[in-house]
Amino acid sequence: MAGNSFGKLFKLSSFGESHGIAVGVMVDGCPAGLEISEEDIQKELDKRKPGSGIAGTKRKESDSIKILSGVFEGKTTGTPICMLTYNEDQKSANYEQIKNLFRPGHADFSYFKKYGFYDYRGGGRSSGRETLARVAAGAIAKKILARHGITIAGFVKAIGSIECKREFSEKQLEKVYDTELRCPEIETEEKMKELVKETAAKGDSIGGIVELKAFNVPAGLGEPVFEKLDSEIAGALMGIGAVKAVEIGSGFRAAKSLGSENNDQITAKNGKPEFLSNNAGGILGGISTGQDITARIAVKPTPSVSKKQKTINRNSENSEIEVIGRHDVCICPRILPVAESMLALVLVNALMEQKAQKLG
Amino acid sequence: MAGNSFGKLFKLSSFGESHGIAVGVMVDGCPAGLEISEEDIQKELDKRKPGSGIAGTKRKESDSIKILSGVFEGKTTGTPICMLTYNEDQKSANYEQIKNLFRPGHADFSYFKKYGFYDYRGGGRSSGRETLARVAAGAIAKKILARHGITIAGFVKAIGSIECKREFSEKQLEKVYDTELRCPEIETEEKMKELVKETAAKGDSIGGIVELKAFNVPAGLGEPVFEKLDSEIAGALMGIGAVKAVEIGSGFRAAKSLGSENNDQITAKNGKPEFLSNNAGGILGGISTGQDITARIAVKPTPSVSKKQKTINRNSENSEIEVIGRHDVCICPRILPVAESMLALVLVNALMEQKAQKLG
Amino acid sequence: MAGNSFGKLFKLSSFGESHGIAVGVMVDGCPAGLEISEEDIQKELDKRKPGSGIAGTKRKESDSIKILSGVFEGKTTGTPICMLTYNEDQKSANYEQIKNLFRPGHADFSYFKKYGFYDYRGGGRSSGRETLARVAAGAIAKKILARHGITIAGFVKAIGSIECKREFSEKQLEKVYDTELRCPEIETEEKMKELVKETAAKGDSIGGIVELKAFNVPAGLGEPVFEKLDSEIAGALMGIGAVKAVEIGSGFRAAKSLGSENNDQITAKNGKPEFLSNNAGGILGGISTGQDITARIAVKPTPSVSKKQKTINRNSENSEIEVIGRHDVCICPRILPVAESMLALVLVNALMEQKAQKLG
Amino acid sequence: MAGNSFGKLFKLSSFGESHGIAVGVMVDGCPAGLEISEEDIQKELDKRKPGSGIAGTKRKESDSIKILSGVFEGKTTGTPICMLTYNEDQKSANYEQIKNLFRPGHADFSYFKKYGFYDYRGGGRSSGRETLARVAAGAIAKKILARHGITIAGFVKAIGSIECKREFSEKQLEKVYDTELRCPEIETEEKMKELVKETAAKGDSIGGIVELKAFNVPAGLGEPVFEKLDSEIAGALMGIGAVKAVEIGSGFRAAKSLGSENNDQITAKNGKPEFLSNNAGGILGGISTGQDITARIAVKPTPSVSKKQKTINRNSENSEIEVIGRHDVCICPRILPVAESMLALVLVNALMEQKAQKLG
């Protein structure tokens, strides 16, 4: 309901518009006693910061986060953690010229239809700036998961038609944020960079694929029918702006496969179960199997392009638009920490629910 | 929480195991005064019935539904509608031989890890039989949507590598249930049939793709951040057993596109907005635009294959398994009505929430 | 939402009308591995059975419960437990005469206003028969609580102005269901019986007070702001038909007290905290203190009286009504097991949530 | 879950500790297009301000509210409204002396048991300061209700044993905030003032009763079984700190009544239904009847008294405590706006749900 909260046991509620006064998040249900600092949060937030990298916007956001509540003497108190950052870079003037035009591919039109108005100053709630709330909450979720040995990682698998082919281990993904495009395959990243530069030169943008992994997830998380772990992950990831598809495990490849190929056969090694493949992506019947959880998302090209496009204004009159300003050429590198956060939030909820269900 | 309910304003709660006494559903939140009969429900349920078509299992289920509550003098009362069907075809004996073996690709292993046991008599809750609850509830949801002019349709787009290429209109999909594989492209369906027969002959199974459409959806449905319409649809569809991927609109194609290609430009015709394409799949910023909603799901091959596969037993000892019995070769034609139901359930909830949000 | 479910982690969904086909309940979120049988449930249900005792209706209900799902080989499976009883005693004819008249004190009028119709055959969902769902679910909740040493008990404290004055221990309440009016103070119960007989002779009904206790509740259950343990208990108890007031601990007495009187002072005995009184009713700041939880409810007289009363019909025309038939003179003895169940359901949810919140 | 949110369609999430950095609230689900200003909110907040009146604490809080999001060009946008006030008066030093002692009647002990620590600087989340969030959200709820003609009012009915006897109309309650103790019966208020002064002189505190009314509520709001309107109201009111009992309509009086007395008979006047009494408090079967909704709460005396009391410290050692500082003698006048807000929040949710349930 209402749509600005996520999660049930570990719940975040997000607020704020890109060009309003502040953007923030309240986290409710975080267990008491967890060590947490503004630095912990800031470190994760910096991963989604614009202004760095060739693919990103040149817009600067300091995104300096303040914890307003729920932490006392360096530890969580069990009560709501409100975190907030004031908006600084509010050049609303940039938007005046397009005030009455619906930007194609943006939410202007649908917001206008739903609410009877839309926030022309940079998208309001539909702005990528809102994801700050998710990453701040995700930073806490990751700290809880870490206590259970669970880690979340990911990488930019493809930009346009340039695609990584290899699989990557937990160790290989550790330093992915040190690369410019968050792609661990150096030769592929080089090609991606060229494509990004070419696209930028044309005043256009380009889509891509992000792959996500959760390592060391215990078997047994998730629910069997409507709150399946894969269902929750799919909902969480599709809920990130610009995401148009979600795959778990073999994904669309499964559609072309035979059962004998797609089934992950099982053997026992030293008395421990071992799967011979991971087409399931770590989830069977909605419940984790103990294998690595694997998901991929298709990210659309950012709709803000400087090429001329047909559109209409609020009075349904024909017009044209060129979206100028500092926009991302490919959003994938910046979506990565957001997607990791959503996966972390799903898992921390599943973990807490699993604890609740243990018969005392 | 708990995971057997779906929806918030129009909520269904599903119960029952495939080889238990009964399978059923309780629908809560259905508006009062809707005409509904057991025939209305039965008609939809018959679409998912096994025993018909070359792709399906030969197992017979009469699936005769009884309405136990919530309907009085032919109309809904506003109170819970419980619908139930008793299980008849309970040849648990079939399952005795594999009682201790985890069937690869099935939920046996993950259920065992979660609950400390699993229902070896046909999967229990993880059985496709549970989807009866979704289709029964979906039948009611569709009746409500119909009052608003909204219709849901879909078709089997691909089986293995055999894929339909055309787009289909509302009218063209009207009779899709009259075809054997629920594919509206006759020449493609012929090829699909051959593939299904070949696969059956090998004792194997095959995956596919199902496409879904919602026609005549008003603009403005959905929420902007966490309960985005596409997020809800993705979660709902990924929560159907065997689904491994969900696409909205251009889906994975968006990942390879330029912004100038993927944006749906807008023109005004006779004072009405008209989009020049529908890569958005009818949803922008999580909110419906008034265009047709389009989603596709990748369906994995049914894991029950009679080919020999490696597995382990409950004591983590190596073994082999051949799953015999009457199983579906390709589940796509039978998943179609389930997927339609899930889409209907998402939309009816969004519609009711939208009503609630109107300022009085 | 929708209003027929209760609880979040241990959730029940109730369905069925008093004069429909069946009444039942689905319990979702019950941990796997709990031993449960139809006899366990039936034993609790028999406590609310009409037809016994001078205060109750002479209407007979066999209320023979069937478990349809969620229990396998004598133990819960972790999946939904659906329990059902078919309605037998459906003398709808009795109700024909009052079909168009709103019975004063009943829900006929408000249901008619909400739904545009009402179920004249005994109240439909507003019938006390619905409480069967609560007691069946409560029976399971009590079994879970028992594993943590927590017990729930209660008694009829007052009927009309006849009121018990003593406090009762867990042991003293153990056999309260052996008494006719569920009152542990023998001399008071005698006076209550007389009052009940007199009231019955006048064709009238009478209210009363039920007191509830939860023994051995660990400190720390409940949430600090909106899902306070006392808030949840108050909501749960006020949600039982006929309840018009709820007190926790000193209740209305606190309104007349000084702080120095109402505060429960604390001492340490053998290194353990001991409160010198229990005006808090076992809850401070919404969270359990480890003292016995104490609540009281005011129960209104059943509105079905054979005395002539003014009312109107569906067309807003003046009329009179005498509600004939077999009705309870005082509902308190039959509300007791329902109220115990609601308290058990609140506690089992709080217990599960507390588990979820433990930092791993 | 988690416990810091209230409501489903119109949902508030509260955060902040009394002696932390800030206290605030996020409102989600507020319809778009409602005119709202910081002045509207501030006006309601000022009603709960300490520092005025003989019954209240002399502590000063400026409580200057800032709207951070969700309002654009003077109207709500349909997205979350975050409102915040920074804490100013943080004399934590006052609390140092009692840092390790559990204050009797306060939540220190139960918080310590739940979270392993407690916020000794004025109660943290259990402080009355948290109610600022409720009143700010309630201010918006009241504005929505006003559009439907619904008004909420209330008064201090009793302090200690001094009690108002009369009933008050909507008009008579309009100026109740102009009186010092928020009691509309002048002669009674005079006696109350004396009692408050006497109690203050003794270093003690005193309880009381607050009565609440909702006028002009349409028939048909509320749900029939678990989310009954009275159940929701009881939960909402009992969830306010210091409340120990809730009555709806005749409340505890019903327990001593005959059915023929307690039933509200109905007549038709000019073709319109009119009830001859309002023992139901405007709610039958959990659903509003169109009569005024009436509720009363018992408020305990504030536990902070300067009289010496027995307590223990964190190491379970015996001690004594005198709570010095500026505390409320009787909290009733300041609870009134909080209770009104909770009632408004329940009603706005019921109203929105009722809209959602209308068959289109």
Side-chain angles (χ1 to χ4, degrees), chain B residues 224-286:
Chain B
V225 175
F226 288 120
E227 293 166 15
K228 287 186 159 112
L229 196 56
D230 36 359
S231 168
E232 297 287 305
I233 291 172
L237 295 176
M238 192 69 95
I240 302 170
V243 174
K244 297 302 289 177
V246 181
E247 291 186 316
I248 304 289
S250 55
F252 269 95
R253 192 159 45 76
K256 302 195 173 176
S257 303
L258 295 170
S260 56
E261 294 163 354
N262 192 65
N263 286 344
D264 301 311
Q265 299 184 49
I266 323 175
T267 54
K269 269 206 177 147
N270 307 321
K272 285 195 168 174
E274 219 178 88
F275 289 87
L276 300 183
S277 52
N278 188 8
N279 291 316
I283 303 169
L284 280 172

Side-chain angles (χ1 to χ4, degrees), chain A residues 29-244:
Chain A
C30 181
L34 184 74
E35 289 187 21
I36 202 95
S37 68
E38 286 174 352
E39 290 67 40
D40 291 330
I41 311 296
Q42 193 66 52
K43 204 182 122 198
E44 287 294 309
L45 282 181
D46 288 349
K47 294 180 180 172
R48 62 167 286 293
K49 206 157 59 170
S52 64
I54 57 165
T57 162
K58 295 296 167 290
R59 197 174 58 244
K60 271 190 204 140
E61 294 175 10
S62 64
D63 284 359
S64 164
I65 201 80
K66 285 292 292 177
I67 298 178
L68 298 188
S69 66
V71 178
F72 184 47
E73 300 175 345
K75 288 186 177 175
T76 56
T77 60
T79 55
I81 304 166
C82 184
M83 298 178 283
L84 186 69
T85 179
Y86 284 92
N87 293 326
E88 294 174 6
D89 184 5
Q90 299 181 35
K91 293 244 175 49
S92 295
N94 274 347
Y95 295 95
E96 273 300 314
Q97 72 197 93
I98 54 167
K99 189 170 166 173
N100 288 302
L101 295 177
F102 303 121
R103 293 167 299 159
H106 276 287
D108 303 344
F109 180 80
S110 53
Y111 271 54
F112 185 67
K113 286 293 183 178
K114 184 176 186 69
Y115 299 119
F117 96 105
Y118 68 96
D119 191 337
Y120 49 82
R121 308 163 306 166
R125 286 296 282 162
S126 73
S127 162
R129 186 151 171 78
E130 174 277 323
T131 60
L132 188 149
R134 308 176 186 224
V135 175
I140 302 175
K142 283 179 175 177
K143 286 206 86 171
I144 297 173
L145 293 176
R147 293 176 69 107
H148 294 81
I150 304 169
T151 54
I152 308 280
F155 63 100
V156 175
K157 188 181 175 66
I159 292 184
S161 297
I162 317 292
E163 186 167 343
C164 295
K165 293 299 173 203
R166 269 174 277 165
E167 292 285 315
F168 300 98
S169 67
E170 185 175 358
K171 191 147 186 62
Q172 287 169 317
L173 293 176
E174 251 171 22
K175 306 222 162 163
V176 79
Y177 280 100
D178 296 347
T179 67
E180 187 158 6
L181 295 179
R182 281 119 196 225
C183 171
E185 216 169 76
I186 302 171
E187 68 285 11
T188 309
E189 201 198 17
E190 283 308 312
K191 288 182 203 155
M192 288 174 173
K193 283 183 194 170
E194 275 171 54
L195 177 59
V196 165
K197 277 180 210 162
E198 278 168 35
T199 310
K202 288 187 291 185
D204 217 328
S205 63
I206 182 93
I209 297 173
V210 169
E211 181 160 319
L212 295 158
K213 296 267 192 182
F215 299 104
N216 210 20
V217 177
L221 301 193
E223 296 301 313
V225 175
F226 288 119
E227 293 166 13
K228 288 186 159 111
L229 196 56
D230 36 0
S231 167
E232 298 287 306
I233 292 171
L237 296 176
M238 193 70 96
I240 302 170
V243 174
K244 296 303 290 177

Side-chain angles (χ1 to χ4, degrees), chain D residues 45-347:
Chain D
L45 281 181
D46 288 348
K47 294 181 180 172
R48 61 167 287 292
K49 206 156 59 169
S52 66
I54 56 165
T57 162
K58 295 296 167 290
R59 196 173 58 243
K60 271 191 204 139
E61 294 175 8
S62 64
D63 284 358
S64 164
I65 201 79
K66 285 292 290 176
I67 298 178
L68 298 188
S69 66
V71 177
F72 184 47
E73 299 175 345
K75 289 187 177 174
T76 57
T77 59
T79 55
I81 304 165
C82 184
M83 299 179 282
L84 185 69
T85 179
Y86 285 92
N87 294 325
E88 295 174 7
D89 184 6
Q90 299 182 35
K91 294 245 172 52
S92 295
N94 275 347
Y95 295 95
E96 273 299 315
Q97 73 198 92
I98 54 168
K99 188 169 166 174
N100 288 304
L101 295 177
F102 302 121
R103 292 167 301 160
H106 276 288
D108 303 343
F109 181 80
S110 53
Y111 270 55
F112 184 67
K113 287 292 184 179
K114 183 176 186 70
Y115 298 119
F117 95 105
Y118 67 96
D119 191 337
Y120 49 82
R121 307 163 306 166
R125 286 295 283 161
S126 73
S127 161
R129 186 153 171 74
E130 173 276 324
T131 59
L132 188 150
R134 307 176 187 224
V135 175
I140 303 176
K142 283 178 175 179
K143 287 206 87 172
I144 297 173
L145 294 177
R147 293 176 70 107
H148 293 82
I150 304 170
T151 53
I152 307 280
F155 62 100
V156 175
K157 188 182 175 65
I159 292 183
S161 297
I162 317 291
E163 187 167 342
C164 295
K165 292 300 173 202
R166 269 175 277 164
E167 292 285 316
F168 300 99
S169 67
E170 186 176 356
K171 191 148 188 61
Q172 287 169 317
L173 293 176
E174 251 172 21
K175 305 221 163 163
V176 78
Y177 280 99
D178 295 346
T179 67
E180 187 157 6
L181 295 178
R182 281 120 196 225
C183 171
E185 216 171 73
I186 301 171
E187 67 285 10
T188 309
E189 202 199 17
E190 284 307 313
K191 288 183 204 155
M192 287 175 173
K193 284 183 193 168
E194 275 171 53
L195 178 59
V196 165
K197 277 182 209 160
E198 278 168 34
T199 309
K202 289 189 291 188
D204 217 328
S205 63
I206 183 93
I209 297 172
V210 168
E211 182 159 318
L212 295 159
K213 297 266 192 183
F215 299 104
N216 209 20
V217 176
L221 301 193
E223 297 301 312
V225 175
F226 288 119
E227 293 166 15
K228 287 186 160 112
L229 195 56
D230 36 0
S231 168
E232 298 287 306
I233 292 171
L237 295 176
M238 192 69 95
I240 302 170
V243 174
K244 298 302 290 178
V246 181
E247 290 186 315
I248 305 289
S250 55
F252 269 95
R253 191 159 44 76
K256 301 195 173 176
S257 304
L258 296 170
S260 56
E261 295 163 355
N262 192 66
N263 287 343
D264 301 312
Q265 299 186 49
I266 323 174
T267 55
K269 268 204 177 149
N270 307 323
K272 283 198 169 172
E274 218 177 88
F275 290 87
L276 300 183
S277 52
N278 188 8
N279 291 316
I283 303 169
L284 279 173
I287 296 166
S288 65
T289 61
Q291 288 197 283
D292 297 340
I293 288 178
T294 314
R296 272 172 309 283
I297 53 177
V299 180
K300 76 174 188 183
T302 31
S304 295
V305 296
S306 56
K307 289 199 158 178
K308 198 170 282 187
Q309 291 177 286
K310 288 183 184 169
T311 192
I312 59 172
N313 65 15
R314 296 190 188 204
N315 301 319
S316 286
E317 294 160 342
N318 281 308
S319 183
E320 287 189 325
I321 192 168
E322 294 164 65
V323 183
I324 52 175
R326 301 153 302 172
H327 300 290
D328 297 271
V329 183
C330 179
I331 202 77
C332 288
R334 289 183 63 206
I335 268 196
L336 177 59
V338 181
E340 285 179 19
S341 292
M342 294 312 296
L343 182 53
L345 290 163
V346 169
L347 289 175

Side-chain angles (χ1 to χ4, degrees), chain C residues 304-322:
Chain C
S304 295
V305 296
S306 56
K307 288 199 160 179
K308 198 170 283 186
Q309 293 176 286
K310 289 183 184 167
T311 191
I312 59 172
N313 66 16
R314 297 190 188 203
N315 302 319
S316 287
E317 294 160 341
N318 281 308
S319 183
E320 286 188 326
I321 193 169
E322 295 164 64

